[in-house]
Structure formats: structure tokens, C-alpha cells
Amino acid sequence: MENIEKVYIIQPRTDDNYKVLHDEAVALIESAGAAYCGTAYQTIKKVNPATYLGSGKLEHIRELLSGLDDVTILFNGSLSPSQTLNISAALDNRKVIDRTTLILDIFASRATSSEGKIQVELAQLKYIYPRLKGKGEALSRLGGGIGSRGPGETQLETDRRHIRTRIKYLEARLEETEQRRKLAVERRAKNNIKTIALVGYTNTGKSTLMNALTGAGVEERDALFATLDPTARKVKLGDVEYILVDTVGFLQDLPHDLIEAFKSTLESALNCDLALIVCDAHGDYDMQFKTSLGTLEELGFDRPY
């Protein structure tokens, strides 16, 4: 029987949005193929530079975890390398990851195209690189499971001096694909082919809508980030033929390095004549719409939607 990784969440309560972020963390854990096994909610009035949480709160969490073996700790926020190491030490040397590590791991498991794999590896390397500079021990605590997919911690530890070279190489590869995408966009414009981009929060039904309109056969799954690689299909609306593009979904606090790595893919999809923002009417519509608009603004999007 397969040994499923169990994940326990430390959920900071820094504002009124913590419940939404917690529910997303549970969904992210399940999307990573792990099992959610509990949560410790912690009100944060002042961040401890060394451990983020105070020593009393960490001791309380350590006691809560005393009956749980082989549990990974997810801090549902961002941690510095030293904070990751110190929290692990305070919790009996348990494996500790943060939200960014979890999201990057999911992307690593989802990428199928060569470009998608390059984008994910680039994002992982940019995130991991500063954590290797004198902080290798923090990464060694990862072991297997979440956080070990993609380039791999062991290989990175061995070849840390080559990481910068690898990052530059991957950036050059992405630059090449970006140039090819620009040529494709120019051809579409020259042939007067209009494009519609399906954009929005992850797991709101973009791929389902894409399949319904075009019969594209894109995978439909009730999971976050089920679709990473963009899909383009022709669709006829009335008497006009369009190109419909489906791409990666958005999420609150999506890691900046991930947005940067996928910028070429997103810009290709968003270099469109119209962006159709897809939201889930059964979910937090306002949050989904606000997050989608915020991500579009970060990408410099200026087309109709």
C-alpha cells in the first residue's frame, strides 16, 4: 500500500482572510497527493525574526503534534531559510515547508511540455538558490515527498555552484520560446484572427468551458492547477472564428518567481483581443475576481475583459 504523506498546517491569523487561505492550503495538499491531518491556528501580533512564531506558540504546537508520527509541517505563508530551520528544530526536527514550496511542488508534478518543465525548474531554482547559500541544512530537512520533485534537493546540494549557470541557461531557453510566440501572435494579427483568453482563478472551470466550446479534450479535474500548459483551439461564435486559449490558473499569494517564470506563457495567452475571466459562482466570487484582476495588472495586461 502506498505511503501517503501527511501534512499538518500552521495557519497564521494575520487578517480576516485566513480561513480562505487555509481552505486553499488543504486543497493544495490534496492536489500534491498528500493527506491533510490537522491545523494549528496562530494569531500573529508580531513576527519573530528567528522563528516567525513565538517560542510559547511553537511549544504548544509541539505538544499538539506529540501523538503524530512522520508528519510534514506546512507553514501557510512564506518563511526565510533560517525560520524554516528553526521551526523544524523547535518541532522535534520535523520536516517543514512553506506555501511556496508546496505550490512549486504541484507545478513540478503537473508540467508535461518541455517549456512547462523549463518554467517550473526555473522558478524552483530561483526560489531555492538563496536558501542554499549557507542554508543547505534547511533543505536537507526536506527528505522525500513534497518539495523534492523537480530538480531535486540532493543534486542541488552537490552542484550548488552551477545553479546560477543553469538559471541563465533556462532563461535563455525561455527567451527563445518567447520570440517564437511573438511571431505566432504577429501571424494571427496579420491574418486578422481574433483570440479570446480564458483566465481566472485555479479550479473554477476554465478547462471545462474550453471543452464545452471547442471539444478540446483538455483534462478536467477537481484539483488546483490541473492545467499548466496552454491549449489553443478554434471556436466559431456566430459567423466569426476565434482562437480560444486556456492556460494556468491564478491563486492568492502566487509566488512571484512562478509568475515571472510563466510570464511568457501567460503573456502569450493574454496578448489577446479579449480576456474572459472565469469565476466559480459557488465559491468566493469576489475574491476570485479580485485576485484575477490583480494578477493581470501585475502582468501589465491592458486588453478588454
Side-chain angles (χ1 to χ4, degrees), residues 275-295:
L276 181 59
I277 299 177
V278 182
C279 298
D280 182 0
H282 293 287
D284 190 336
Y285 180 93
D286 291 338
M287 179 276 295
Q288 293 171 13
F289 188 69
K290 182 179 179 181
T291 300
S292 299
L293 287 183
T295 306

Side-chain angles (χ1 to χ4, degrees), residues 22-210:
H22 175 265
D23 291 344
E24 285 183 356
V26 174
L28 287 168
I29 289 167
E30 293 171 349
S31 292
Y36 164 68
C37 67
T39 301
Y41 294 95
Q42 295 296 328
T43 300
I44 309 294
K45 294 181 179 179
K46 184 178 180 180
V47 174
N48 185 316
T51 56
Y52 201 101
L53 307 173
S55 58
K57 292 177 180 178
L58 283 172
E59 176 60 25
H60 175 63
I61 294 173
R62 191 185 71 81
E63 292 174 358
L64 291 175
L65 295 170
S66 61
L68 297 174
D69 296 325
D70 299 323
V71 172
T72 295
I73 309 302
L74 168 65
F75 181 87
N76 196 22
S78 297
L79 292 174
S80 69
S82 59
Q83 287 171 340
T84 302
L85 185 62
N86 292 336
I87 291 175
S88 176
L91 300 180
D92 299 326
N93 293 321
R94 294 177 185 271
K95 174 181 170 183
V96 175
I97 61 174
D98 65 4
R99 181 180 173 88
T100 300
T101 302
L102 177 57
I103 293 173
L104 288 173
D105 187 83
I106 293 170
F107 270 60
S109 69
R110 296 280 194 271
T112 54
S113 70
S114 59
E115 183 181 8
K117 291 177 180 178
I118 289 172
Q119 290 169 325
V120 171
E121 183 181 355
L122 181 60
Q124 288 182 311
L125 290 176
K126 284 187 172 182
Y127 181 72
I128 290 171
Y129 181 70
R131 287 159 170 75
L132 287 172
K133 298 168 69 175
K135 300 297 182 183
E137 186 180 353
L139 279 181
S140 71
R141 301 276 179 101
L142 284 178
I146 294 172
S148 62
R149 285 179 279 210
E153 172 262 327
T154 302
Q155 187 64 34
L156 290 173
E157 278 293 302
T158 304
D159 300 332
R160 69 166 73 187
R161 64 186 179 276
H162 300 306
I163 293 176
R164 282 303 310 167
T165 302
R166 180 66 177 172
I167 287 175
K168 290 179 180 178
Y169 167 75
L170 293 172
E171 288 176 334
R173 290 279 306 274
L174 282 183
E175 179 66 25
E176 292 173 4
T177 62
E178 187 174 350
Q179 292 303 319
R180 288 197 293 269
R181 288 184 183 281
K182 286 180 178 178
L183 290 174
V185 170
E186 290 172 2
R187 284 197 299 270
R188 288 175 183 173
K190 184 177 180 180
N191 295 327
N192 197 31
I193 299 175
K194 303 297 183 181
T195 58
I196 301 173
L198 296 178
V199 300
Y201 216 71
T202 182
N203 202 29
T204 55
K206 295 185 297 300
S207 297
T208 301
L209 180 60
M210 176 82 162

